[in-house]
Amino acid sequence: MAHPQPFPRNGVSPHDAQHQQHQQQFPGVQSHERQLRTRPFTLEEALPYTPFTSVFPFDSGNNPTIGAGSFAPSLANLVSRDDFDALNHEVENPHQSKRLDNSLEYIQNLLKPEKITKFEFKTAPKTITAPNSSIKSLTEGLSPFAKMVYDGTSIVFGYPSIDTSTKQPSNGLTMTPMATKRSPNQRKPDTPKVVKHNPAATNTQAIANNKSRIEIHIPSQRQREAASDMLASQLKSTIPLPTAQSQPQTVSLADLMVKPKVTPVPVPVLKVEQRSTIQPLKSIPKASQPTTAPSGTASASIQEIEKHVTPQRSSVAPSQDSPSSAPSSQRQAEIRIELPKATFNREEFAVVPDSPDAPADLSTKRDQGAIEGPLTADLNQRERANILFAELRRCLQEIFIAEDQLSSQQVHSSPFIYVTVDQELTMTSSAHDKAQRLLKRAIEIGCFGQIPFDGLIRVQNLSEGALKYADSLDFKINEDWGETEVSLWAQQIPDIERGLKAARTALRVMCGGREEKQLYSEDLIQLGLNHFRNVMEGIIVPMAEVRSTGPTAGLFRSLTGYKKAIMTLFASSQKLFALMSDLIASIDLSETVVNTLEFLSSRLMFVENAYTEKDSVVGVSKFDGLRLVAMHMLSQIFLMNPAQREGILSEILTSLEKLPVGKQKARQFKLSSGGSIQPISALIMRLIQASAGKVDDSKDESRSQIMQSLQDNAAPARPTKKTQYTIRTDDHAAIEHEVAVQELQDLAKKLFDGAYRYAHYVVNFIVKRALKSTKTGDTPYRNLLDLFVEDFTTCLDSPDWPAAELLLRLTMYLMFQQVDGEKNSAPARNMALELLGVMAASISRLRSHVRKTASSFEGSDSDELGRWLADLSLTILEGNTPLEKILKWDGPYRIVVEFLQDRFNEDGHLYSAISYLVTDWGSQISSGYDSTLDDDTAERHSEFGRTAYRLRNMIEDSKWLSREWRFKSVAPNHAKLSHAILLLRSNFCTAFRNILNVLMGSMTTDQATVRSRSLKSVNQVLETDPTILDGDSVFIDLILQCSSDSSPQVRDSALGLIGKCISMRPRLEERMTPTVIQRFIDSGVGVRKRAMKLAKDIYLGNENKAVRSSIANGLLHRMQDPDEGVRELARQMIEEIWISPFYKEDDSVSFKQSLTDHVALMVQTAKQGNTALILDKVFQTILAPESRMCEANTRVCTKLVANMFDLVDNPESNDPSAPSGKDALQVLMIFAKADPKLFTFEQIRLLKPHIASVSTSEDLVVSRAVVVIYRRVLPQVSSVHSQFLAEIRAHLMPATAKITRTLLDDVTACIWIISGLLNNTEPVARLISSSLAGIQKIRGILAKGLDQKTTRQFDRYSLIVGMGESMILRSFREFLFAEEQRSNQSNPNAAKEKKDLKVMGSTSFDDVASATTQRFLTAITRIALATQDDHAFLAVEILASINRQGLVHPKETGVTLITLETCPITRISELAYHEHRALHEKYESVLEREYAKAVQSAFQYQQDVVQDCRGATEAPFTSKLHLLIEILKISKSKNRIRFFEKIVSQLEFDPSELDASQSLPSHVAYSRFLLENIAFFEFVNVGDLQTVVSALEKLVTGIGAGIAQAMESEIFQVRIDQNTAIQQPGEGEAASTALVIPESINMQRLRQLTAGSMILSAVWEVRTFLRRLYGLNSSRREAKNKGPPKDLTKPPVKVQGVTGDKFWDDIAFIMSGLDMPDRMLQQCKAFVDLMNVDSEVKIGEEDEEEDLDADGEPQTPEAVDDDETTPDARGRKRKAVNTPGGRKKRARSNSRPRQRGRPKKHQSTETMSVNMDDDEF
């Protein structure tokens, strides 16, 4: 289907349905035109067969273009014809011009794939040409240049899959496959390019292209019979095999199948249309290729051919005919599976090994003599050296000529030489600058040795004059200088600067390495050093301390005028200082010079500079630059003087205290990888790294010879004894590998041990002092330790600072010791945990970075080195440590070293990092070699030997590696990944799991601050690596456990960590949400707030209705929180999660659905939790006019109410998404109470059926909800709807006789409201009158008794009358509320005006309110304290309004409000609390005197109304007076202490007058109430706690002694004279006789003594519980303290694990002491034992245990008396009286009588000194 002529356009013809139909109808017709086509159709030829003809009339004049652009232009149109002919002419010439190359490059650029529009067409099968048809070459007829473009351009294109299967026509003609033309890039082989590829991705792509289609033809019966006949007649037929081709062909397997001569009916078999690339069948000999073959051997022949098919074979023979050639009637039962062309190419696939090998060509050895001297390296280098030498010689000649002319007075001035005041010739500043520059370049390029010696000496002599003159000047800055002095001083700046430049010139000559001794003058060195020291001490340091404010402000202003000259002077000083650091490395300086330079450098490091640029004369950055040079100087001194290293470190570390506070956090040292650290941190790391390097012996020896030659009469120097090594070659090292490793180990171990020793000294120095200081203390070491660790972690992943890992590792070891030490204090453990958290976070960050980097290298088209490093890093992350790969010669160590050496010329300080890495590498070789000793592979041992030999040479000679070996250029990301690999296997990073274990273990320690600190450290780790939460993480359980810790600080930290866990791993939300909700009721205010904020985030991100309902329920209950901040936060959050999301009005379906879901959620929340009253208050607050979003909230609530009315008629259902009508009515009732304006008349009309059935309805919940809604909404209804109102009243009036008490109040209120709206109160009056008459009638028959029916009638009558009372109370409340609102709005500025305080009220309204209040206050108070129902709440609301308006004296309502605070009904206690708090804030001094009375009133209220006289509530244990204590927290400490003393004093009693006639005496019950309250008070500070404990102890010791003595004498009848005859039962012995009540004792007296003992026993139990709960020490030891604890204002900390369960049970047991006579005796005996024996003071090992003071910290034990040192398991005796057992006391075997008088002072002094020694570090 193509024309034979060439076609310029790149289009293809469509293979339309008409051509296919034509072939099916006439299979035997093969036109000559179709046989000759070799190109696709033209547009004109193809259009008639396209669908375009059905869209518009065919017009070949307008050819449409396909795609966005036009077709590719013709090649001839790109250039003009003349240029094109010229190019063709140039192509034919043998020498191609540059123009031809440029033109070819231009054309190739146009033919790039990204610049060519790509089209995808359906491709028709290629037509096979006749054997005799000639095929023209595509290059035929092309011009020379076009042919050059054709041959030289490789266009990558994707060839579409086409059907190449040949078809066998019925006439028997066989079509042979046409040879395909090769791609241009196959014609001309190009130079292979390095292509980044991923073998795995290539394999995946190649496999994806092999899509197949299989057709299965199911034959009919007729077809099967015809096929059987055909095959039976051709058993001996042969198969023609295709001849081998010289080039690949694209054929199908159908071409290789047996072709029968006659095919009347096609045999339907499985056809696999498999397009495969068939390789040439050259392996089949021609002799074995017959023209025909028996059909029986067809399959064998096919299998033989299929062996050469690439890539896959088909086991099923393809069809002999195409299914398209069969009639349609014969193709009805066919199943077709198409297999597209298999584009398998073996070159596209690569074998990916499990672990890639390291690139083999990274490192190569240099040829001998490859590196030559600097002057013989190349011609350009020599030429540059010659030019520089000539320029330097010319410069020196000019200087010397000027000197000669001035000395002979031929000239009087010169630009090169001038005469000083001392008449000495010296060089000018310009001459110094030029000579300096040339001398420096000469030394660098290597031609300095050719300079004549006389010239150098002459230059030094010419520099000496300026130095001497500058040294004679006095230029020290004085703070008292004025403008005149500064002006005179500024005139000396040129001479000072000239002296600095002269010193630089003289010292530069000494840095050239010349051997002439005259060049190294000690006097000249000392002269230059003295001048620099004078400049630094006289100018630099004083100027750095000058400020723009304070006493130096005048001097600052004067110096600022000469800032430019001063800046130049600073620059010259800095250059001279830097040159001196180079001089140290070049020659040996005297000890005096070195010490002076060290002193100057240390002073510059720690001088106090200005903090801002405006406060500095020269600028902060300029001075910091000088400080960096000082750091380099110290590094050089440290490196070149090993004997002085420890002294240098000590000086630096000791000077850290001098570091200015503002400079401690100043990080001016810029890192090459970005970021900055402290200069002192960089200095310490550089010193540690430098100590790992070996000092160059050759330089040291040459320097010693030079300095030795300076002494004329000195003895010849002894040659240095160098180490002789056995291994001298690589081959020798490979054979003697053990010797090579040992020689390296001897060298490297000594160097690395030195670095380790210095690093340990630094870390230990700082940590020791940090433990003795605080972050806010005088010494800075605590803050410095944090800063150092932060800096070290910043540098951890930088190859420039390998010593950071060593310093962090040693710090980590010391922190482990602090955490594990049993006697370490809490601050020390906190510090350790904080730093361990920072370290763990840095390790985690490093691991995460390595994982990401490795994944990017592995997944992208990276190079071979990147993939190898990625595989190695991932292997280490998985826990495997391939030590051999890490230590290999071209492994990670080598990559990092080569990377640093490439940058060495840019930054010479990298020498220390290279030295450290090489030494570390060498120290690791030994362990790597030992790990392979068990391996029999000799090659591995030899490789270790060769590496050890090379590393030894690298340590001995720093230039050996660059001289002997080459290495490919290392990319920064490869170097950083290699360094990270070394870090991952370091001891620091491998301890990551140990750090996590320490943090986990610290989460369960006894110290609360330590637990909190560990949680914060874990939080730091989580921020960098959340993977520790994956799997069965122990962290989750520990965090949840800490969330219920006894310390609020720990709980708060745990909640913060829970929030972080949920944000990083949302799957943990379901598990952690209940814990968060549980913390809503936490005792800590901050914990509650954090839990609520976290729950809000969970709510907004979770669609689960159950979770949302639980969170909303918990937030609603927080509306009753005692803390006002928590209540406000809860209200705000309810508004944010329930109201705010619906502010935006939207009529979309999604918005309506979300509104419906939200209504269902609200109904579900109200149903599950007891939140009706809370919701009422919440919505009242949200909808209040004062609310900021009042209007928006009202609109949303109106929508919610309207949506909720759609649910009113819903039946009961278990589906929470479909709430019932009953539940919806409950929420509607809440909205009605909040704001009746949310309802419309039409909505309440819908509830009329429920009103009609109130009297007959069985569902009281629904009835009450509807009645309450009507009660709230009816006042808003207009009287226009009088008929509706009358009907409602008609329904409600009969119901008053039938409904229950619950509904009666609301029904009567509705009737009252409707009567008011209708102006008709007659029905209500008749109802109340009838009830009163009924009551009077019943009162007349009281004497005869009441039956059940009469009783019910009396109750109903009373309820109706009581309803009238409630209506009166409501009226009174509404009046007071209205008056309160009117008073607030009438005069906003009234508070500012001065009022007459003698008159109560200022208007007639106030008089009415005041008079009414005074008259009914007693009755209102009685109603409030009588019950806990709605009547009581009404009365409380009235009292609250009276209290707010100040209508009565505060003490008249204060006692009542305090009493009502103990009410279990939340709304009553909460309202009372708020009003009491307001009174306390205004009238604290008045109310303070009423608090004792209020406590008694609270007890009576609990006993009479609440029916529970215990002092606390359970689950959790909470004091009933906790709201009173909460208010007292805002009082002064002395007021609280006075209150506590009053409370304890109310426990006192007279034993002789104690009334014990009741089963539980009233004073005993009142005492229990007080004591249980005291036990569960939340004390503000330790002082309050100790006040209560001391008062309780005094009470017991004051009254208890008399009661115990009375019991012993009256009950147990023990006398003093029986002391020797009675002894106490020993251990394990039982009393021989049972306790018997003596006949002489009166039972009333026994009860009286027992009641007294019960009170005192309970007092002692409370005292013991408080001490145990807060970890206080024993009373005996506390009494010995000579003062209060160190800080009584700190809040007490509860001991973990101490609960109130045991105390609660013990108190209950004590209060049962009067139940039976036996219990009374038992109680008395227990009390006597309590008074006689102090069971808390233990002897022996327990005395050695450390007590805890109020802060939870160890306290030094006091010295004890002699009689207390006896080892006895029992407690001590309180007094020497006989016990009630009737036995004689047995003396202790090893006791001695106690000596009278005070103990000796030396005892306590010795004990104290011992303890002080123990506290030392």
Side-chain angles (χ1 to χ4, degrees), residues 825-891:
S825 62
R829 292 189 177 186
N830 289 338
M831 180 190 75
L833 291 174
E834 181 179 354
L835 296 181
L836 287 177
V838 174
M839 297 179 197
S842 66
I843 299 174
S844 177
R845 188 164 46 247
L846 175 68
R847 293 168 62 91
S848 177
H849 172 73
V850 170
R851 189 177 290 107
K852 292 178 182 178
T853 305
S855 300
S856 63
F857 279 164
E858 190 180 48
S860 63
D861 293 337
S862 178
D863 57 357
E864 190 176 3
L865 177 59
R867 290 194 298 272
W868 181 73
L869 290 175
D871 177 79
L872 182 58
S873 60
L874 292 177
T875 302
I876 296 178
L877 287 174
E878 292 172 358
N880 302 321
T881 308
L883 194 59
E884 183 180 358
K885 291 184 179 181
I886 294 174
L887 299 177
K888 65 183 302 184
W889 175 238
D890 51 356

Side-chain angles (χ1 to χ4, degrees), residues 385-547:
N386 292 334
I387 294 174
L388 177 63
F389 178 73
E391 187 178 357
L392 177 59
R393 183 174 57 185
R394 184 165 53 253
C395 174
L396 295 180
Q397 287 177 354
E398 292 175 349
I399 295 173
F400 298 155
I401 290 173
E403 179 192 10
D404 295 337
Q405 291 177 350
L406 280 178
S407 60
S408 61
Q409 297 184 355
Q410 296 179 7
V411 295
H412 299 286
S413 64
S414 171
F416 302 105
I417 301 296
Y418 80 101
V419 182
T420 63
V421 178
D422 299 333
Q423 299 300 316
E424 290 191 20
L425 297 177
T426 184
M427 294 166 58
T428 61
S429 296
S430 59
H432 280 299
D433 292 338
K434 187 174 182 180
Q436 267 283 327
R437 177 176 54 83
L438 295 175
L439 287 172
K440 182 179 180 182
R441 290 182 56 194
I443 294 173
E444 292 174 351
I445 206 168
C447 64
F448 183 75
Q450 301 177 5
I451 302 175
F453 166 72
D454 295 338
L456 297 177
I457 286 292
R458 197 169 177 180
V459 168
Q460 287 186 336
N461 292 335
L462 288 174
S463 303
E464 189 173 0
L467 265 174
K468 289 181 179 178
Y469 178 71
D471 189 52
S472 64
L473 298 176
D474 183 13
F475 45 76
K476 186 175 182 180
I477 297 177
N478 196 330
E479 293 182 359
D480 300 333
W481 279 2
E483 188 69 32
T484 305
E485 290 83 355
V486 173
S487 177
L488 295 174
W489 170 83
Q491 296 176 6
Q492 297 178 330
I493 291 181
D495 296 327
I496 300 172
E497 185 179 357
R498 196 177 297 114
L500 294 172
K501 292 182 177 181
R504 286 175 56 204
T505 303
L507 297 181
R508 178 68 68 182
V509 174
M510 300 181 187
C511 294
R514 297 286 290 258
E515 297 182 358
E516 292 85 357
K517 64 179 181 178
Q518 292 84 355
L519 296 177
Y520 304 95
S521 171
E522 283 282 355
D523 296 336
L524 195 57
I525 294 174
Q526 190 65 45
L527 192 62
L529 180 59
N530 291 340
H531 182 52
F532 174 75
R533 181 180 58 190
N534 294 336
V535 170
M536 195 200 77
E537 294 179 348
I539 299 178
I540 295 176
V541 174
M543 197 171 295
E545 296 173 348
V546 173
R547 299 291 181 268

Side-chain angles (χ1 to χ4, degrees), residues 104 108 145-155 184 187-188 190:
L104 178 61
Q108 289 175 341
F145 180 69
K147 189 174 184 303
M148 181 180 179
V149 173
Y150 179 80
D151 293 335
T153 306
S154 175
I155 302 177
R187 290 191 303 270
K188 184 177 180 180
D190 297 331

